[in-house]
């Protein structure tokens, strides 16, 4: 991976099961920039809380969002892709405060598809019982926010291709 001056910083956002990690890693590879898994920025207490089936609140998310924001700021010049649920606009504004040109790719899918994906995966701390709380907290990407919403039921490579085309138009 090379440093790419002028490459975008991108947050692949959405609820659990939307494909953030898969699409994020592939998008970073296509852009030849670094990828970071947003879950890796969570404090241990957050992981334990979610694993126990308790939703995070805004106070729980604050240090995590600050860590993701710091990563975005560090990559603002050379580009990078990070997965991060970024469920609420205030969370996205917090991330944009650190890296104002951040582009958000919101992966959206029907609840039954998200539940199917979450139930079918192994080794992840997030139980499918938290899906409803995430959907309740979700504020979809607004028209005035820098980014786009994509159909997460599409193949990951198709999502990457469409996102690359959208980035070329910005």
């Amino acid at each position: 991976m090379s440093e790419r001056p002028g490459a975008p910083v991108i947050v692949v956002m959405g609820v659990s099961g939307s494909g953030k990690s898969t699409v994020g890693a592939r998008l970073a590879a296509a852009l030849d920039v670094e990828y970071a898994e947003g879950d890796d920025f969570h404090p241990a207490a957050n992981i334990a809380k979610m694993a126990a089936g308790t939703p995070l609140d805004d106070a729980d998310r604050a240090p995590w969002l600050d860590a993701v924001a710091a990563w975005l700021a560090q990559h603002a010049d050379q580009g990078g892709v990070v997965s991060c649920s970024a469920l609420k606009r205030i969370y996205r504004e917090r991330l944009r405060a650190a890296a104002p040109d951040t582009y958000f790719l919101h992966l959206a899918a029907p609840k039954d598809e998200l539940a199917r994906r979450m139930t079918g995966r192994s080794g992840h701390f997030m139980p499918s019982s938290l899906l409803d709380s995430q959907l309740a907290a979700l504020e979809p990407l607004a028209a005035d926010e820098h980014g786009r919403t994509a159909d997460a039921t599409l193949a990951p490579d198709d999502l990457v291709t469409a996102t690359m085309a959208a980035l070329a138009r910005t």
Side-chain angles (χ1 to χ4, degrees), residues 39-126:
D39 288 341
D40 294 343
F41 294 97
H42 273 296
N46 283 8
I47 301 287
K49 190 172 185 178
M50 289 183 285
T54 305
L56 299 181
D57 59 27
D58 289 351
D60 295 323
R61 288 187 178 105
W64 171 65
L65 289 166
D66 289 344
V68 173
W71 189 92
L72 288 167
Q74 292 168 355
H75 290 80
D77 291 334
Q78 73 265 20
V81 178
V82 63
S83 58
C84 173
S85 58
L87 297 174
K88 296 181 181 181
R89 185 176 182 126
I90 59 169
Y91 301 165
R92 296 188 294 273
E93 289 170 354
R94 190 175 193 137
L95 299 175
R96 271 193 296 271
D101 294 328
T102 299
Y103 184 92
F104 289 87
L105 173 61
H106 176 190
L107 299 179
K111 180 182 175 181
D112 60 337
E113 174 64 12
L114 296 165
R116 184 192 67 75
R117 290 178 182 185
M118 291 178 76
T119 303
R121 67 185 177 187
S122 61
H124 196 277
F125 61 85
M126 177 73 102

Side-chain angles (χ1 to χ4, degrees), residues 20-37:
K20 296 182 299 291
S21 299
T22 300
V23 172
R26 291 183 190 192
L27 183 57
L31 290 166
D32 194 27
V33 296
E34 187 176 345
Y35 170 71
E37 170 56 57

Side-chain angles (χ1 to χ4, degrees), residues 23 105 107 148 150-152 154-164:
V23 172
L105 173 61
L107 299 179
R148 66 185 288 265
D151 179 353
L154 297 174
D157 289 339
D158 292 341
L159 289 165
V160 169
T161 299
T163 301
M164 296 291 285

